[in-house]
Amino acid sequence: MMRWPSLIFLSVVVAANLAWPALAAQGDDPDWPCIQRKVPQLSLVQVWNGAELRPATVEWSKDATISALVVELSARRVPLQEAQQKIRGYAQGLPVGEREQRLTMLVRGLFDHMNQERSEVISGIARYARGQRDMAARLRREASAVDALRVKPGADLNELALRNDRLVLQTRIFQERAQSLSFVCEVPTLIEQRLYALTKTIAQTLGAR
């Protein structure tokens, strides 16, 4: 009975140690745990091949309407089709002479905002991965300490049971965090896909003049 928690722990740690090098091998950053290749920043040409974005488009944040629209369209809680429809509705309400200027400003705003959001998520994933690695090291040390206590003559069985229970709980937390990491790793890709879909809608709207 007293050996069972350590066997659970060892199986988890072994699995984690096997998986981690395979994931980290996807790039040169040892803190990057995702199977997706790490691309810290997007370039505008990756998501936009429409009308030229003039230098003035960098001033998008000074426009209250466009700033609010950027935040609204970027939010993943807003269904993509709804966001695309909002773009079309916004374009229809613009004077023809202003449409290209303001829609390209919206492109710049979406790119700046969502590229920054994506970079922050990537940094958060790296911090999360470092935390997992540190937690695995602590669990290995505690497992070794529990095993040493188990074979120690005259060991306090109450202390041993307490530390075993704590080890099992901490290992479960480690497992849950490891499982959630695979979902977190998808977020940068989801942001990139949404950004591309939104800018494509703008390009199509401009082309429909």
Side-chain angles (χ1 to χ4, degrees):
M1 288 292 293
M2 298 302 289
R3 289 191 176 275
W4 185 60
S6 287
L7 290 175
I8 292 177
F9 167 78
L10 289 174
S11 67
V12 172
V13 170
V14 169
N17 286 340
L18 287 174
W20 191 278
L23 296 177
Q26 300 297 320
D28 297 328
D29 187 346
D31 288 333
W32 184 246
C34 304
I35 195 169
Q36 298 87 343
R37 188 167 63 92
K38 181 180 180 181
V39 181
Q41 294 281 343
L42 297 175
S43 64
L44 187 59
V45 295
Q46 290 177 267
V47 297
W48 178 249
N49 59 2
E52 178 184 359
L53 302 189
R54 298 173 184 174
T57 60
V58 300
E59 303 292 330
W60 65 269
S61 62
K62 296 180 180 179
D63 187 296
T65 300
I66 290 180
S67 293
L69 194 55
V70 163
V71 173
E72 183 179 9
L73 297 175
S74 300
R76 293 190 301 281
R77 66 177 180 276
V78 178
L80 179 59
Q81 290 184 345
E82 180 180 331
Q84 291 170 318
Q85 187 55 45
K86 286 181 181 294
I87 290 172
R88 298 184 190 102
Y90 174 67
Q92 289 172 0
L94 293 172
V96 175
E98 297 181 14
R99 189 169 297 170
E100 181 173 316
Q101 175 190 356
R102 295 188 67 77
L103 287 181
T104 52
M105 188 175 287
L106 178 59
V107 169
R108 174 68 72 175
L110 287 169
F111 175 78
D112 289 350
H113 181 84
M114 296 178 76
N115 193 31
Q116 178 63 30
E117 178 190 10
R118 183 179 173 278
S119 295
E120 290 171 358
V121 169
I122 288 173
S123 296
I125 289 173
R127 291 192 299 271
Y128 192 99
R130 286 195 297 270
Q132 279 293 92
R133 190 172 58 222
D134 293 344
M135 187 175 185
R138 291 195 301 272
L139 289 173
R140 286 194 295 270
R141 289 194 297 269
E142 179 62 13
S144 296
V146 169
D147 287 340
L149 182 61
R150 181 180 293 112
V151 298
K152 181 180 179 180
D156 185 331
L157 296 182
N158 289 331
E159 179 187 357
L160 183 57
L162 179 63
R163 293 182 68 169
N164 256 314
D165 290 345
R166 185 168 56 201
L167 183 59
V168 170
L169 176 60
Q170 291 173 341
T171 300
R172 187 177 300 119
I173 293 171
F174 178 88
Q175 286 179 287
E176 291 171 354
R177 285 172 56 90
Q179 290 168 355
S180 66
L181 185 59
S182 62
F183 297 103
V184 175
C185 283
E186 294 289 338
V187 174
T189 300
L190 294 175
I191 294 173
E192 183 177 348
Q193 291 173 344
R194 184 179 181 90
L195 174 59
Y196 176 76
L198 293 174
T199 57
K200 182 179 179 180
T201 299
I202 295 174
Q204 291 171 340
T205 301
L206 285 171
R209 291 177 297 176

